[in-house]
Amino acid sequence: MSKTEIPYYWSSIDWRKLTEDFPPPPLFDSVMAARSDDEMRQIQNARFLDRIADAWKIPFYRDRWAAAGLEPSDIRGMDDLEKIPTFTSEDIKQSIEAHPPFGDHQNFAFDAMRTPLKIQSSGGTSGLPRPTLFDPIAWEVQAIQFARAFVAQGGEVGDILQITLTNSLANTAWCSSTAAMNWCGMIPLTTGSGAVTSSRRQLELAKEWGTRGWVAFGEYLKILAQEAERSGIDLRKDLSTRFIHTYLGVDTEGHLRRLLEEAWGVPVYDNYGTHEVGLIGYECVAQNGLHVNDDTALIEIADSETGRILGPGHDGDIVVTSLHRSVPPIIRYDLKDRMRSTERTVCSCGARTTKLSGFLGRLDEMVKLRATSVYPRSAQDVVQGDARSTGEFLCVVENVGEGLGSRERMTVLIEQAREDDSHALQEDMKQRLKSTFGVSVDVTIVAAGSLAPQTGLGGEGKVKRLLDRRGEPAAAV
């Protein structure tokens, strides 16, 4: 038996300092509103330098930065941020493969085991998932981020929060339940997904126990609404729902939000995050952009082609630096997600933060069709906006032809809601998607429910919207 002293969780955090550094609700809004831009930048800069000092001790960063010609004295503050090379999830995967089991960016955390650790992961659609270690600070700050969102979206002390994601390797459900119980006085009801607790039972529990808030993906909220209709449950009259915390995806025209709000009769709030950094942005009751947790994350928007940092109001890839994470540090992580930022400003809810747009697409899903950049997930608005469809779609990309005549072709498979004339829907979708994508694509109408095996609808993870067949033999033109 090891003689190493047990790192008890309760004594691993200075709890008073934690809440001063990262105020939970209801303090967050007032604290952030009282901070000037200069004060906020000073706080960010101090935390940034602490994370840089952590990173220089770790091979993953030290080697990459040295290869880029950097020395410790070259990074003196946030003004030097752009000198630091970005990294992606592919770099993390390579780090894990070269330095198993967790990579040279975080294997160090096991040395002497001075702090409690937890393993969570993301990805894993092919091969093993991508693990991330959490120390108590990383764990609790992510929970505080979620607690801020729940309160900003209408959660109150004593409210039951029904969490329809399973406590598993993914951490959204864990963050939600920890946030509810530890940081905002809500009562977590951890029903898990429909595979754990059937959709009908989810609704029965919500009705009987008085669920006030839901944590669920948009696709599952639609499934619950359909089940309610079959079961004779009126979502508006029979349930006590007051707000819904979800992740709308590419919903720039608001079709999915309106669909869900009409079905449930309550506000639906969008959110954005990544398991390594936590809840980066969340909507408040104003529903006019996502508040950034500026005290926990530095946000940059980069040009997809050049990597040049763009100013507020421009679309680009979101690059994030965690200000609270030291196990492991996250410095200039290019998430490959397209978003837009605004300057820090006071919102009608009282908080003063940077804001983000909703999700605009993923760079690693981008497809080049006839020299035009196409983001498959941007089809969501078009498909969701037509009542003749179920709202479900899948973009299939493949190579066609041979030699100089070879090219990439995209076909968008769209489910129709009823057995109506599919030709009219097909032609309308072709025209609308051409306007959205900026280039013509093929459209095939398929039966309702037929795409679920390929998209993963109703499962635990994110719904897939791209099927990439470009590595297969070329199809006929």
Side-chain angles (χ1 to χ4, degrees), residues 28 142 145-146 148-150 152-153 245-248 269-274 277-284 289-294 296-297 299 318 320 335 339-340 353-359:
F28 178 67
Q142 284 202 11
Q145 293 169 337
F146 273 74
R148 292 170 178 176
F150 295 151
Q153 292 161 5
H245 173 106
T246 190
Y247 303 83
L248 292 172
Y269 297 104
D270 195 15
N271 301 270
Y272 172 77
T274 173
V277 182
L279 197 67
I280 296 172
Y282 63 88
E283 278 191 319
C284 66
L290 279 64
H291 286 285
V292 175
N293 283 294
D294 287 323
T296 71
I299 299 299
I318 185 169
V320 63
L335 297 175
M339 302 192 83
R340 186 186 316 117
T353 68
T354 307
K355 281 192 175 181
L356 288 171
S357 67
F359 184 60

Side-chain angles (χ1 to χ4, degrees), residues 72-224:
S73 60
D74 293 330
I75 306 172
R76 295 166 293 182
M78 288 165 51
D79 290 339
D80 297 318
L81 198 57
E82 287 189 65
K83 295 179 182 178
I84 303 172
T86 61
F87 72 94
T88 68
S89 61
E90 284 302 314
D91 295 312
I92 294 177
K93 291 177 184 177
Q94 291 171 15
S95 169
I96 293 168
E97 290 171 1
H99 305 277
F102 300 109
D104 64 349
H105 62 298
Q106 56 185 4
N107 278 338
F108 72 91
F110 290 94
D111 295 342
M113 191 64 187
R114 296 186 181 91
T115 184
L117 294 173
K118 194 175 193 301
I119 303 172
Q120 299 293 145
S121 73
S122 179
T125 53
S126 61
L128 288 174
R130 187 176 72 249
T132 299
L133 299 180
F134 285 76
D135 68 356
I137 294 293
W139 193 250
E140 296 299 337
V141 171
Q142 284 202 11
I144 289 172
Q145 293 169 337
F146 273 74
R148 292 170 178 176
F150 295 151
V151 171
Q153 292 161 5
E156 297 179 358
V157 173
D159 282 350
I160 292 177
L161 182 72
Q162 191 155 334
I163 302 166
T164 67
L165 290 81
T166 305
N167 284 348
S168 61
L169 285 174
N171 69 353
T172 303
W174 290 99
C175 288
S176 298
S177 58
T178 306
M181 189 170 185
N182 292 13
W183 296 107
C184 61
M186 299 182 72
I187 303 169
L189 175 56
T190 53
T191 51
S193 69
V196 176
T197 305
S198 72
S199 297
R200 179 161 188 161
R201 179 52 55 90
Q202 298 258 12
L203 294 167
E204 291 171 345
L205 293 177
K207 179 180 178 181
E208 185 68 23
W209 294 349
T211 294
R212 297 284 186 171
W214 293 77
V215 177
F217 287 122
E219 290 83 1
Y220 189 56
L221 289 165
K222 290 196 299 179
I223 290 173
L224 285 172

